[in-house]
Amino acid sequence: MGIQQEVQDLLLRLGVNAGTLAGGALPVQSPITGEIIANLQPTTAAAEAIAEAHEAFLAWRTVPAPKRGELIRQFGEDLRAERETLGRLVTLEAGKILSEGVGEVQEMIDICTFAAGLSRQLTGLTLPSERPRHRMMETWHPLGVTGVISAFNFPVAVWSWNAALALVCGNSVVWKPSEKTPLTALATQAMFERTAAKVGGVPAKLSTVLVGDAAIGQALVDSPLVPIVSATGSTAMGRAVSPRLAQRFARAILELGGNNAAIVCPSADIEIALRGVAFAAMGTAGQRCTTLRRLIVHDTIYDEFVWRLQRVFGSVRVGDPRDTGTLVGPLIDGRAFATMQRALAEARAEGATIHGGERIERSAWPEAFYVRPALVEMKEQSELVRRETFAPILYVLRYKTLDEAIVLHNAVPQGLSSSIFTNDMREAERFLSTEGSDCGIANVNIGTSGAEIGGAFGGEKETGGGRESGSDAWKQYMRRATNTINYGSDLPLAQGVVFEIG
Ligand code: UN1
């Protein structure tokens, strides 16, 4: 069966109307074969969709939070029933290997479980008042329409981290998926609508998808009806979005570029380090925000470790992500390939030693871009290394002292994820301490990618500072009210202020 046919069959099964898939001006290409698999009609009425979402919010905010949680619980169940189907669609549209496609849907299921429990735990504090017969407390209220802008590399999971929380918190959601991966978004939306109809009592347009390019995203960013936007993508995108949101005092949750590094220490368990580095650097063909891009290896183990890594990079199966045994699928498109080749040419000009990085031609699919992951031994952490190139390139650097390694580690503009491989407790604790990694995620003896949904996800510096998913990330989707209640028969003022009106 051709890929286009398979995509259509999966979409129909998940409830997407076949009529929406052809005849439009927005072509969708599968990175696996380079074929066009749909031509969608871009959304024209973004403002109307946002206004409808606002109406939905006004109704939804009055539904008790545990009832809102029940919608998300059932959505999680429905996702569970279609885990393999939606996971395969992620593979066909985004090009990640099947186990990662299915893993992405598992992340959606996990966040639904988390959010369903959270719906009974949107707790506020009670605080001691300094005034007699007064009580002070915090209450949390929904914000309104939550805008979500997501990237091609996690076409559905990142939406779900935001949407599951935003919805149990009492908001409505408007989603602008990447124009490279709108089909999985339409499938997710169709599934959500089915769950909502089954559950009942859910306002129409509680969740909406806007299909289109950056102009559609801008409508979301500029709408006064959207008090919060969560945006995932490049630092360049964040630089465009962030001031516009700030201009109108809207909240921004930004998850932008990463330039994640791992330090491999002399005491490291080398087998664990090899596996951890391999998955983090080559998984999702190097196209995760959390992908390992820099490896800082101690001088005394450098030669052996890099030689072994070189063998892994050279032998890993690159190819059709639908085949079992493939570990590295295609790049998303020709532009990603060109960017990767430019970075490698720059490295070569800087005197780097490059292993791999070449295109693996598939004569039947000239528009698909498969590459062997590149291991690039650098002389220094140059401007090139300090930049995020969204491709499977791992730059390798040497270090002699941990102080030097930590300085190198933090000397990049981004601050998403980081790791240290060591069995030395002092080194591990240093790395996790205030004087260590400056990233939002810091790990010991695991790679930089593959975070669980239970933790707060996001990073510092040019990564944007946002936190999504677990822990107390839910608070961003709500507004906090501080309430003081006087149940006495007097009106004492705080700070002892006297104001007698006679
Ligand atoms: C991303 O690449 O935008 O930690 C998200 C990870 C995944 C999420 C990545 N759980 O790699």
Side-chain angles (χ1 to χ4, degrees):
M1 190 189 341
I3 200 161
Q4 182 176 8
Q5 188 61 50
E6 191 184 355
V7 166
Q8 299 229 352
D9 289 354
L10 293 175
L11 286 167
L12 292 186
R13 170 173 172 158
L14 295 174
V16 176
N17 180 348
T20 60
L21 300 176
L26 183 77
V28 184
Q29 189 180 28
S30 170
I32 300 178
T33 63
E35 282 165 80
I36 303 296
I37 47 177
N39 286 291
L40 297 183
Q41 195 63 58
T43 308
T44 46
E48 286 84 340
I50 293 168
E52 285 172 341
H54 180 70
E55 287 303 313
F57 156 67
L58 295 179
W60 188 238
R61 65 181 175 173
T62 66
V63 173
K67 287 260 177 331
R68 302 192 298 241
E70 177 57 15
L71 168 67
I72 297 303
R73 189 190 69 76
Q74 293 207 31
F75 181 50
E77 288 299 302
D78 292 343
L79 284 169
R80 200 181 292 274
E82 295 292 0
R83 199 172 74 120
E84 269 66 29
T85 318
L86 184 57
R88 189 164 177 94
L89 192 61
V90 169
T91 290
L92 298 179
E93 192 180 37
K96 56 177 76 176
I97 62 171
L98 276 175
S99 97
E100 290 190 276
V102 171
E104 173 155 1
V105 183
Q106 185 61 47
E107 275 200 50
M108 302 174 81
I109 297 166
D110 293 342
I111 195 71
C112 287
T113 307
F114 180 93
L118 179 70
S119 70
R120 291 181 185 269
Q121 300 174 78
L122 301 170
T123 50
L125 298 172
T126 301
L127 302 138
S129 168
E130 68 187 55
R131 287 167 280 186
R133 299 211 166 115
H134 279 57
R135 186 162 71 84
M136 195 155 65
M137 66 176 185
E138 286 179 346
T139 43
W140 292 87
H141 305 283
L143 271 181
V145 179
T146 301
V148 180
I149 297 175
S150 62
F152 78 84
N153 63 331
F154 274 81
V156 283
V158 171
W159 167 80
S160 74
W161 301 346
N162 289 282
L165 298 191
L167 289 167
V168 300
C169 290
N171 305 297
S172 57
V173 177
V174 178
W175 178 14
K176 190 253 174 249
S178 164
E179 56 267 49
K180 292 174 186 166
T181 53
L183 298 176
T184 39
L186 292 179
T188 302
Q189 172 67 16
M191 289 183 70
F192 182 82
E193 284 174 13
R194 260 209 320 280
T195 309
K198 186 175 66 182
V199 171
V202 177
K205 310 289 183 181
L206 184 63
S207 164
T208 316
V209 173
L210 305 179
V211 172
D213 58 15
I216 290 275
Q218 201 161 308
L220 204 52
V221 166
D222 290 340
S223 169
L225 289 178
V226 182
I228 175 169
V229 173
S230 171
T232 300
S234 66
T235 295
M237 181 275 283
R239 271 196 224 289
V241 160
S242 174
R244 301 182 87 102
L245 291 170
Q247 181 70 28
R248 61 181 185 87
F249 303 101
R251 285 190 197 172
I253 302 177
L254 300 175
E255 205 250 283
L256 311 172
N259 194 353
N260 317 298
I263 299 174
V264 185
C265 301
S267 71
D269 179 324
I270 293 301
E271 303 308 319
I272 285 188
L274 264 180
R275 288 176 51 200
V277 167
F279 172 63
M282 296 187 288
T284 328
Q287 300 173 114
R288 286 194 194 209
C289 299
T290 50
T291 291
L292 180 63
R293 310 210 175 277
R294 299 178 295 134
L295 188 66
I296 305 167
V297 187
H298 194 268
D299 199 37
T300 54
I301 55 166
Y302 183 99
D303 290 343
E304 193 206 335
F305 191 73
V306 174
W307 180 73
R308 287 193 61 186
L309 204 54
Q310 192 187 323
R311 287 208 311 187
V312 175
F313 269 59
S315 63
V316 89
R317 170 106 71 98
V318 181
D320 190 331
R322 294 170 293 185
D323 295 346
T324 36
T326 297
L327 293 183
V328 179
L331 297 181
I332 189 69
D333 56 21
R335 256 182 82 183
F337 174 70
T339 307
M340 177 178 180
Q341 295 312 306
R342 268 200 308 277
L344 291 177
E346 238 177 279
R348 203 167 287 119
E350 290 178 18
T353 307
I354 303 177
H355 313 279
E358 69 280 5
R359 184 168 178 192
I360 300 175
E361 301 273 356
R362 306 282 302 234
S363 54
W365 304 333
E367 294 304 318
F369 294 87
Y370 292 86
V371 285
R372 175 144 306 280
L375 191 64
V376 179
E377 296 182 70
M378 295 298 297
K379 294 199 164 118
E380 58 173 356
Q381 183 157 275
S382 60
E383 181 49 39
L384 167 70
V385 179
R386 288 159 40 83
R387 198 167 76 213
E388 179 191 41
T389 299
F390 214 64
I393 299 176
L394 180 60
Y395 298 112
V396 194
L397 300 158
R398 257 176 219 271
Y399 81 93
K400 286 204 170 80
T401 67
L402 186 61
D403 282 343
E404 181 198 340
I406 291 174
V407 168
L408 266 179
H409 179 278
N410 292 344
V412 295
Q414 313 82 354
L416 179 54
S417 187
S418 60
S419 301
I420 191 167
F421 288 90
T422 179
N423 279 333
D424 180 326
M425 182 268 263
R426 288 179 178 165
E427 288 180 333
E429 292 289 340
R430 266 289 299 293
F431 185 73
L432 300 182
S433 80
T434 326
E435 301 169 279
S437 161
D438 63 0
C439 291
I441 299 171
N443 296 330
V444 177
N445 292 336
I446 65 166
T448 51
S449 66
E452 302 175 21
I453 62 91
F457 182 90
E460 303 303 328
K461 302 193 286 185
E462 285 189 5
T463 303
R467 290 295 185 279
E468 297 168 312
S469 196
S471 185
D472 61 355
W474 63 270
K475 290 182 174 172
Q476 298 165 106
Y477 306 87
M478 302 197 91
R479 61 184 172 84
R480 180 197 322 235
T482 301
N483 313 125
T484 308
I485 303 145
N486 177 5
Y487 60 94
S489 44
D490 234 339
L491 188 68
L493 300 180
Q495 298 92 41
V497 172
V498 177
F499 199 87
E500 293 300 340
I501 56 170

